[in-house]
Amino acid sequence: VAPDDLRSAPANQRSVRRHNLGVVLRHVADRGPRSRAAIAQDTGLNKTTVSSLVGELIAIGLLRETEIEQRGTVGRPALPVELAGARVAGLGLEIGVDYLAVRAADLTGAARHSAHAAVDNRGRAVGEVFEHLGELARGALDELAAAGVVTAGGVVGVPGLVDSDGRLLVAPNLGWTGVAVPELLAEELGSGPLPLRAENEANLGAMAELWEGAARGLSDFVYVSGELGVGAGIVIGGELYRGSRGFGGELGHVCIDADGDLCACGSRGCVETRVALDNLLERAGLDRGAGAAALAERAEAGDERALAALDTAGHWLGVALADTFNLLDPRGVVIGGYLGRLADWLVPGIEDEIAGRVLAAKWGDATIVASALGAEAAVRGACALALRRVYSDPAIVVALAIP
Ligand SMILES: [Zn+2]
C-alpha cells in the first residue's frame, strides 16, 4: 500500500460509510418497513455492515424498529425497521403568480406545517413579496424548532427559469428578472446555516410525483405542469434532469407548427399558443380568467365548444409529447396543474397521438395519468428536494441539530 493510500484510507472509509448510510435510508424509504436481512439481501451490503448502519440510523433518529411481530423465527428476532419522521424535515416554499405557500414535511412525507396566502404577487414590489414569504417561512421554522425537528434545508419554487446554481433568471408571469431568491429569503430569515435554493415549479412538481404521487416507483417520466403557461419536469434514472444549465423542460415552447401563431417568447407555433389556459378558455367561449374549474364544469355539462377546445388541446399536447417519447423514451407522463384538472378530456387525445406517432409505441404502453396533488405539487416537491441531502449524507442531521 502506498503511503498516500494509507493517509487517505480513513477519509475514504468515512465517506463510504456516509454513502452506505444513505443507501440503507433510501432503501427503507422506497420499500417500506424491512428487516435487516432483507436490506442486506436487496442492497448487496453484508449483514454485519447493515446491522451497524441500521444501528447508527436508529441512534440518529432517522429509522426506528417497527411494532410488527415476526412469526416463525427462533429466539428474539430483530424487528423490521421503518422511517422515523420526528427528527428532520424539509422546508418547501412557493412564490406563485397569485399566492404564496409554505409546507414543512418530515422524512415520511407527513406535513409538519402548512400555510397558504392568496395574494397577487404581480403587483407587489419584490421586497414586499420576500418580507411576506419570510414571515411564512419563520412560522414553519418556529413550529419545527418547538417540536424538536431539525430543518434540512429550504427550497423555493418559482414560475420561471432557474439556473443550475439555483438563481432565478426570469419569471415572465411575475415580471421578475435576475432575482436572487435564496439570498433575499436568507436576509429575511436572518441568514443562519439553513441551505436555501430556488427551483422551477415544474421540476418541483416532478419531484413531488416521484416522492408521493402518481410517479412513485417510476424512474423515468415527464411531469407536465399547467400553470399560466406550460412547463415540464423531466426525471431520468430517478433524478431530475435539468439540462446542462438548468433550462430544460420548456415543453410550452416546443414547436408544434413552424408557421403558427406568434408566441410570447418570440417564436412561432409553440405549444403554449394552443394549450395555455387563456387560449383554451377563449376557444371554449369563456372569459380569460374564468379558470380551469369553469371549463371543466362546461365540459361535464357536455358543452360542445368546451369539448372541442379540450379535444384540440389534447391533440396538440399529444403531438408535443409524442416527440418527447421519441426523444427520451419515458415510462409515463403525469399531467398536473390546470391541465391535470382537465385531464379526463385531454388524455384520450394525448394517447391517440402517442399511439400514432411514437416509433416504439407498440412495444410498451405509456402511462398517461393526472396528478392527484393539485395546486400543492410544487410545494410538496420543494420539501422532497430539501430532504434529498439527508439521503446523500444522513449524518448531517447530527450537525444540523447543534444550534
Ligand atoms: Zn414560445
Side-chain angles (χ1 to χ4, degrees):
V1 180
D4 278 356
D5 290 342
L6 276 177
R7 263 200 304 275
S8 59
N12 282 339
Q13 280 162 17
R14 274 198 305 277
S15 84
V16 167
R17 187 170 172 86
R18 277 206 301 268
H19 171 79
N20 286 341
L21 282 171
V23 168
V24 171
L25 187 64
R26 184 172 291 245
H27 188 74
V28 176
D30 288 346
R31 308 284 286 274
R34 314 224 32 93
S35 70
R36 290 159 177 83
I39 296 169
Q41 193 168 13
D42 296 343
T43 59
L45 294 165
N46 79 50
K47 280 187 193 171
T48 318
T49 306
V50 167
S51 283
S52 157
L53 293 167
V54 165
E56 185 170 344
L57 289 167
I58 289 173
I60 61 180
L62 299 181
L63 292 183
R64 64 170 176 222
E65 288 191 320
T66 62
E67 308 288 314
I68 306 160
E69 254 185 75
Q70 278 188 326
R71 287 161 197 272
T73 45
V74 179
R76 197 192 69 87
L79 294 166
V81 289
E82 65 184 0
L83 283 183
R87 188 67 200 275
V88 63
L91 177 66
L93 301 143
E94 188 185 4
I95 303 172
V97 170
D98 51 12
Y99 62 90
L100 293 175
V102 60
R103 182 182 176 90
D106 69 27
L107 216 50
T108 66
R112 292 307 191 114
H113 181 92
S114 168
H116 189 277
V119 56
D120 192 343
N121 292 316
R122 279 170 292 201
R124 301 166 99 193
V126 171
E128 201 185 314
V129 173
F130 277 89
E131 204 176 299
H132 194 174
L133 189 70
E135 212 174 278
L136 293 172
R138 265 196 308 279
L141 293 171
D142 289 350
E143 190 172 338
L144 291 173
V149 181
V150 298
T151 308
V155 174
V156 187
V158 286
L161 275 187
V162 176
D163 71 14
S164 35
D165 296 323
R167 281 185 299 248
L168 173 65
L169 300 183
V170 60
N173 293 322
L174 280 171
W176 290 9
T177 336
V179 175
V181 173
E183 290 81 356
L184 289 171
L185 181 60
E187 267 172 39
E188 292 296 330
L189 296 177
S191 128
L194 189 71
L196 297 167
R197 61 165 291 138
E199 184 58 81
N200 171 271
E201 56 83 17
N203 283 348
L204 292 179
M207 291 303 298
E209 296 299 338
L210 182 65
W211 193 33
E212 56 182 340
R216 210 177 143 82
L218 289 188
S219 57
D220 304 275
F221 70 95
V222 174
Y223 171 77
V224 179
S225 155
E227 289 306 321
L228 277 184
V230 178
I234 301 166
V235 172
I236 297 176
E239 296 292 335
L240 205 51
Y241 178 76
R242 295 183 174 87
S244 63
R245 293 162 302 159
F247 306 156
E250 288 298 331
L251 184 70
H253 301 284
V254 163
C255 183
I256 44 176
D257 179 357
D259 303 313
D261 292 340
L262 195 61
C263 178
C265 75
S267 180
R268 281 190 179 277
C270 298
V271 167
E272 276 192 10
T273 65
R274 309 258 166 113
V275 179
L277 183 56
D278 280 352
N279 187 282
L280 257 167
L281 292 169
E282 204 170 297
R283 279 164 196 260
L286 284 157
D287 286 341
R288 283 168 174 246
L295 179 53
E297 223 168 83
R298 288 265 178 109
E300 263 156 28
D303 181 273
E304 279 185 22
R305 281 184 81 182
L307 291 170
L310 287 164
D311 206 44
T312 308
H315 161 75
W316 288 117
L317 203 51
V319 169
L321 285 170
D323 285 347
T324 309
F325 271 85
N326 276 323
L327 207 56
L328 298 175
D329 184 31
R331 182 70 186 76
V333 173
V334 182
I335 313 274
Y338 74 83
L339 293 169
R341 178 75 184 75
L342 302 169
D344 282 355
W345 299 280
L346 298 171
V347 169
I350 295 171
E351 284 174 341
D352 279 355
E353 297 309 322
I354 286 172
R357 294 171 189 271
V358 178
L359 185 62
K362 63 176 144 186
W363 288 287
D365 41 276
T367 317
I368 317 289
V369 288
S371 169
L373 303 176
E376 281 193 340
V379 81
R380 283 173 178 264
C383 293
L385 196 59
L387 282 167
R388 282 235 147 178
R389 60 192 296 249
V390 177
Y391 288 102
S392 44
D393 186 3
I396 57 160
V397 300
V398 178
L400 286 167
I402 301 162

